[in-house]
Amino acid sequence: MSTYPNAVAVTTASAVTPTADPACAQPLPVLGRDVTVPLVTGGEVTYAALDYAASAPALQRVWDDVAAYAPYYGSVHRGAGYLSQLSTDLFEQSRATVAEFLDCRPADQVVFTRSTTDSLNLLAAALPADCEVFVFETEHHASLLPWTNAQVTYLDAPRTPAQAVEILERALADRDPSPSSRLRSGRRGPQGPALVCVTGASNVTGELWPVKALAAAAHAHGARIVLDAAQLAPHHPVSVQELDVDWVAFSGHKLYAPFGSGVLAGRADWLQQAQPYLAGGGASRKVARREDGGVDVEWHTTAARHEAGSPNVIGVYSIASACRALTEAGFENLVARERHLIAKVREGLAEVPAVRVLSLFGDDAPRVGVISFVVDGWNSSHFAAALSAEYGIGVRDGLFCAHPLVRTLLGSEPQAQGECGAPDAAPGELPPTSSGGTPTLNAIRVSFGAGTPDEHVERFVRAVKELVADGAKWQYRTEEGRCVPAV
């Protein structure tokens, strides 16, 4: 309970009554919805932000909440002043709000970080000695790369959700700590700890992963599991208890909350036993000089252990505001409306033979509003540049910080080099393929969510059809590896 409950006038979004027709539901108000951008062909158009998977626009509700709090901003913890006390209350209330949003267990800790990447690096730094990590090659680099101090097993890309579970079970069975399994494998002695890292929804294909089944498989073999919910939490409810995951990580900037904050929530034991992620004030409970000239440090065992330094109070509060706004809007409504938008995009792209949508699990797999595709005869950077310059549509092109997955989906060499969001070559720089076409080294990603109006996806589909049928209206050139309109 806040010490100063009436100090900040926090806006409150009213709950939305479920509607039978998602097409009639209104998108949630977001910043930038009325921004206009110039077109190279002349005139201006309202910007269609279709790059939610990178960073979603801020909810108007979040912005209003932050604006209401901003005059009361102060340093949290240990401050005696009114603003410090109020800010501390909001900071800790935000922790409770996030725990409720994630349906955490009573003993779980919610640690505030900078992002999903930061959260998973924190967990990697907290792994017990001799921990084995199992991660699918399909992961975003944020969950693929942090495990440098552990023994890592990279699992092949599955082609069905059931196959994902089978692949994981086979890998875990090889290190199963059960006596019968050790006897069959010829191993002696207990195995060390293990961790499985898996995404909830792919940042490339948008497909939902069988998290609950993967968690059951992990626990059956004595392993723990961390869920990368960066792409899942903005679109679907995430329940730590229902999914039975040990940790969950997500970022505020994908949850309609800017200001650079993230969350790692879950079991406390590994976090309490690990050295602080950052050493400094806030993480330390007591520091004393020793006679030999050194210092003795007693570290906190709470979430503060891994939150050294002055925390990002604005970022944390914005996450809590977004959690409340999404909960009050009702995920039933949000999911129904998003499925409506997904159907519009997929049906529209299906009418263009030159377009190939990328998928691991097939057309019928449930997904969030993230769709990647390639267009025959087009370099992806050229196509994305034309969407922006000629139609006012913002999408993303490249490998989406998931190089192995995109390479697998494109059928190109997994070890080939590439940079996140940057093309490997510009139009005209690649030799023709054996079939006479131009090799496609990257993909185009369109992504949307709770703030996307129908007009944005309709304009996108129309633009794709026009570009494929008629070509670009403008000339483009290469500048620092990217296609830009020629002037």
Side-chain angles (χ1 to χ4, degrees):
M1 180 67 66
S2 172
T3 306
Y4 307 102
N6 299 316
V8 180
V10 177
T11 61
T12 304
S14 59
V16 179
T17 304
T19 175
D21 183 4
C24 297
Q26 294 300 308
L28 299 186
V30 295
L31 295 186
R33 58 190 179 275
D34 298 323
V35 167
T36 59
V37 294
L39 302 180
V40 293
T41 51
E44 293 186 342
V45 67
T46 303
Y47 183 65
L50 296 179
D51 194 16
Y52 276 46
S55 283
L59 285 172
Q60 184 68 54
R61 155 72 179 275
V62 171
W63 194 259
D64 291 345
D65 278 358
V66 168
Y69 161 63
Y72 299 89
Y73 170 77
S75 180
V76 302
H77 301 141
R78 298 173 303 283
Y82 180 93
L83 298 190
S84 179
Q85 291 290 308
L86 182 142
S87 295
T88 297
D89 281 350
L90 262 73
F91 187 80
E92 294 305 330
Q93 285 176 14
S94 296
R95 200 187 306 276
T97 297
V98 171
E100 183 179 3
F101 179 76
L102 296 173
D103 189 28
C104 289
R105 295 165 292 256
D108 284 345
Q109 285 188 348
V110 173
V111 181
F112 290 117
T113 66
R114 293 177 295 179
S115 60
T116 307
T117 302
D118 196 35
S119 296
L120 294 171
N121 275 270
L122 163 57
L123 183 59
L127 295 180
D130 302 322
C131 186
E132 294 182 64
V133 176
F134 296 82
V135 56
F136 286 93
E137 67 171 353
T138 48
E139 292 292 310
H140 186 282
H141 294 172
S143 47
L144 188 73
L145 302 180
W147 322 106
T148 54
N149 294 324
Q151 177 185 335
V152 185
T153 297
Y154 295 103
L155 307 175
D156 291 339
R159 287 298 181 172
T160 66
Q163 190 179 66
V165 178
E166 293 168 3
I167 290 172
L168 178 61
E169 286 184 327
R170 284 198 302 270
L172 292 173
D174 289 340
R175 52 90 53 206
D176 197 319
S178 66
S180 59
S181 295
R182 292 200 302 272
L183 183 63
R184 289 195 301 271
S185 65
R187 294 175 181 243
R188 294 184 178 181
Q191 296 299 299
L195 177 71
V196 175
C197 180
V198 67
T199 187
S202 171
N203 79 301
V204 176
T205 67
E207 292 164 317
L208 299 177
W209 277 61
V211 176
K212 189 171 184 177
L214 291 168
H219 293 154
H221 291 277
R224 296 190 181 190
I225 186 168
V226 57
L227 168 64
D228 175 353
Q231 300 295 341
L232 182 64
H235 303 273
H236 283 261
V238 175
S239 169
V240 167
Q241 296 194 68
E242 181 180 344
L243 295 173
D244 197 21
V245 294
D246 297 281
W247 293 276
V248 60
F250 70 88
S251 295
H253 71 101
K254 298 186 192 298
L255 196 78
Y256 311 97
F259 309 112
S261 197
V263 168
L264 176 68
R267 300 196 180 279
D269 53 351
W270 285 8
L271 299 177
Q272 290 174 343
Q273 295 158 14
Q275 286 296 305
Y277 185 46
L278 297 173
S284 55
R285 186 171 179 273
K286 184 188 300 182
V287 180
R289 288 292 302 274
R290 297 195 304 263
E291 291 184 1
D292 63 6
V295 295
D296 287 322
V297 183
E298 179 182 333
W299 303 103
H300 280 293
T301 57
T302 63
R305 184 183 188 88
H306 298 291
E307 295 176 345
S310 296
N312 182 356
V313 182
I314 293 287
V316 165
Y317 184 49
S318 70
I319 287 181
S321 173
C323 289
R324 289 192 297 269
L326 293 175
T327 299
E328 292 164 5
F331 271 106
E332 180 181 351
N333 298 315
L334 299 177
V335 170
R337 173 164 173 76
E338 188 169 305
R339 286 174 179 162
H340 161 73
L341 296 177
I342 291 170
K344 273 182 175 285
V345 173
R346 288 180 58 82
E347 289 168 5
L349 294 180
E351 295 173 355
V352 186
V355 169
R356 176 167 70 94
V357 174
L358 304 183
S359 175
L360 271 176
F361 300 154
D363 290 343
D364 295 332
R367 67 194 69 229
V368 299
V370 179
I371 298 170
S372 296
F373 62 98
V374 293
V375 184
D376 290 346
W378 282 84
N379 173 277
S380 298
S381 179
H382 187 189
F383 200 89
L387 285 173
S388 175
E390 300 177 27
Y391 295 91
I393 298 170
V395 298
R396 188 155 295 244
D397 68 280
L399 302 174
F400 318 125
C401 289
H403 295 184
L405 171 57
V406 178
R407 293 302 191 195
T408 295
L409 294 173
L410 294 178
S412 57
E413 190 64 30
Q415 287 77 31
Q417 295 298 309
E419 297 180 4
C420 297
D424 290 311
E429 295 182 358
L430 299 174
T433 63
S434 58
S435 62
T438 301
T440 303
L441 298 182
N442 302 301
I444 305 152
R445 184 180 71 190
V446 56
S447 53
F448 40 87
T452 304
D454 283 49
E455 190 277 329
H456 287 185
V457 299
E458 290 165 356
R459 192 196 319 170
F460 165 76
V461 170
R462 183 174 67 254
V464 170
K465 292 179 178 179
E466 290 180 2
L467 286 172
V468 171
D470 305 326
K473 301 181 182 68
W474 204 259
Q475 293 296 313
Y476 295 80
R477 61 183 175 84
T478 303
E479 184 177 290
E480 298 182 353
R482 292 206 60 83
C483 292
V484 297
V487 294

